[in-house]
Amino acid sequence: MRVWTIANQKGGVGKTTTTATLAGLLAEQGARVLLLDCDPHASLTSYFDHDPDALEHSLFDVFDSDFTNANDLPNNLILPTAHTNISLMPSSIALATLDRKISQKPGKGLVIKKLKQAFKGEYDYMLIDCPPVLGILLVNAMAACEQLIIPVQTEFLALKGLERMMQTINMVTKAQKHSMQYLVVPTMFDRRTKASIATLRNMRDEFGMHLWPKVIPIDTKFRDASKAHQCANFLYPDCRGVYAYRQLIKTLKQAESAEQVA
C-alpha cells in the first residue's frame, strides 16, 4: 500500500479538495483507496456526507489504542463513501486533544505507519488529509508517507505556510535520517490576476524541481462536487479542474514508477 500525505501548514489552500479528487482518480483507475481524515475540523469526513459529531468511532480510536492488527480496531471504524473503491477513516474533534493526551506515549509519532502495516494488502493507496498545524497528527502523516503533496494557493500569504512546511520537512527528515519525496502543487490559480501570476513566478524561482510545473485552476465544479458529497471526476469528468488533477496524478504515478525501477 502506497501512502500519499496531503499537507500544508496553512488552511484554505485546497488540501481536502486535492485529497478527494486524487482519491477519485485513483478509484477511477481501479485502485482501492483508504482515506484518513487527520484534521480535527473533519472537512474530509463532512465532504463524504458523514457527521463527525454523530460518529461512534474515529481516527482518535487508533491513537488511543495499542492495536497490533486491523482486528484490534472497531469494526465500524472504516466508513463507506459514495464510491465503491473509496473508504474513509473519519475524524472527530477528539483529535484536537491528542498532543496533550499522548505526549508521553512511546511511539506516538509512528501510529499511522503502524496502521499502514495493519491494513497492508487490503488497500492499494492510503491518502491522508492533514491539519494545518504542526503536531502529532502532521508528524505521523509525514512519517508514514512515500509521497508528500503540498497544495499551495497562488497568493502571497500562502507562501508563509509553505516556508513553515519546509522547516517541518527538514525536521522530519533529520529524525528519520533519510530524505522525503515532496511535490509543491500550485492551487486556485487565477490567470486573470497579477497576484496569482507573481506568486507562481516566485514559487518557480524558489522551489525548482520540487514544484509541479502545471497548476490547479480555480473551478467552481469542486464546490459543487463537495456539496454533492462526491469526487469531482465522477460528476464533472471534463471540467478544467479535474483535467488538471489528471495531469497531476500522471506525474505522481510516473514518479512512483521511476522509484520502483531505481
Side-chain angles (χ1 to χ4, degrees), residues 9-247:
Q9 286 174 248
K10 184 183 184 304
V13 297
K15 293 189 297 296
T16 299
T17 295
T18 297
T19 305
T21 308
L22 290 178
L25 291 169
L26 288 169
E28 183 182 88
Q29 295 173 8
R32 299 164 299 169
V33 183
L34 176 61
L35 296 174
L36 260 62
D37 190 351
C38 281
D39 191 343
H41 290 105
S43 295
L44 189 65
T45 300
S46 298
Y47 186 110
F48 286 104
D49 202 21
H50 293 286
D51 180 359
D53 296 325
L55 297 174
E56 183 180 359
H57 298 290
S58 74
L59 184 61
F60 179 82
D61 294 77
V62 175
F63 283 88
D64 198 39
S65 69
D66 292 313
F67 69 96
T68 55
N69 56 60
N71 292 329
D72 294 331
L73 296 169
N75 291 330
N76 54 349
L77 174 59
I78 296 178
L79 304 176
T81 70
H83 311 294
T84 304
N85 279 9
I86 302 175
S87 301
L88 170 72
M89 193 171 291
S91 175
S92 69
I93 192 62
L95 285 175
T97 69
L98 272 184
D99 285 83
R100 173 176 50 81
K101 182 161 185 165
I102 68 169
S103 61
Q104 304 303 316
K105 185 177 181 179
K108 63 181 181 294
L110 300 174
V111 176
I112 292 180
K113 201 168 189 178
K114 185 179 172 184
L115 186 68
K116 171 187 173 182
Q117 290 303 314
F119 285 96
K120 186 177 181 180
E122 294 190 37
Y123 299 94
D124 301 302
Y125 286 88
M126 177 188 288
L127 269 59
I128 308 175
D129 190 16
C130 294
V133 293
L134 178 58
I136 287 173
L137 289 163
L138 180 56
V139 169
N140 259 270
M142 292 176 68
C145 77
E146 285 89 19
Q147 176 69 63
L148 175 62
I149 301 161
I150 311 173
V152 183
Q153 184 180 1
T154 46
E155 57 97 19
F156 290 114
L157 289 178
L159 294 179
K160 293 299 180 182
L162 187 53
E163 290 174 7
R164 290 192 292 273
M165 273 302 302
M166 294 302 109
Q167 294 168 3
T168 302
I169 288 172
N170 291 334
M171 178 193 72
V172 174
T173 297
K174 287 180 181 177
Q176 293 188 326
K177 297 182 172 60
H178 66 78
S179 61
M180 179 176 293
Q181 186 168 305
Y182 69 90
L183 186 67
V184 177
V185 178
T187 60
M188 304 181 192
F189 180 73
D190 188 346
R191 58 190 176 90
R192 300 167 300 179
T193 67
K194 292 181 180 179
S196 272
I197 294 170
T199 302
L200 183 60
R201 188 181 301 119
N202 289 343
M203 291 165 66
R204 284 173 174 161
D205 291 341
E206 187 168 352
F207 296 99
M209 62 177 289
H210 287 291
L211 181 73
W212 187 48
K214 303 181 186 297
V215 298
I216 305 296
I218 287 179
D219 192 333
T220 58
K221 295 300 184 186
F222 290 130
R223 182 179 59 206
D224 296 340
S226 66
K227 186 177 179 180
H229 306 296
Q230 296 190 45
C231 301
N233 60 297
F234 292 109
L235 287 178
Y236 312 108
D238 299 320
C239 74
R240 59 179 183 169
V242 167
Y243 175 81
Y245 275 110
R246 289 189 192 280
Q247 300 304 304

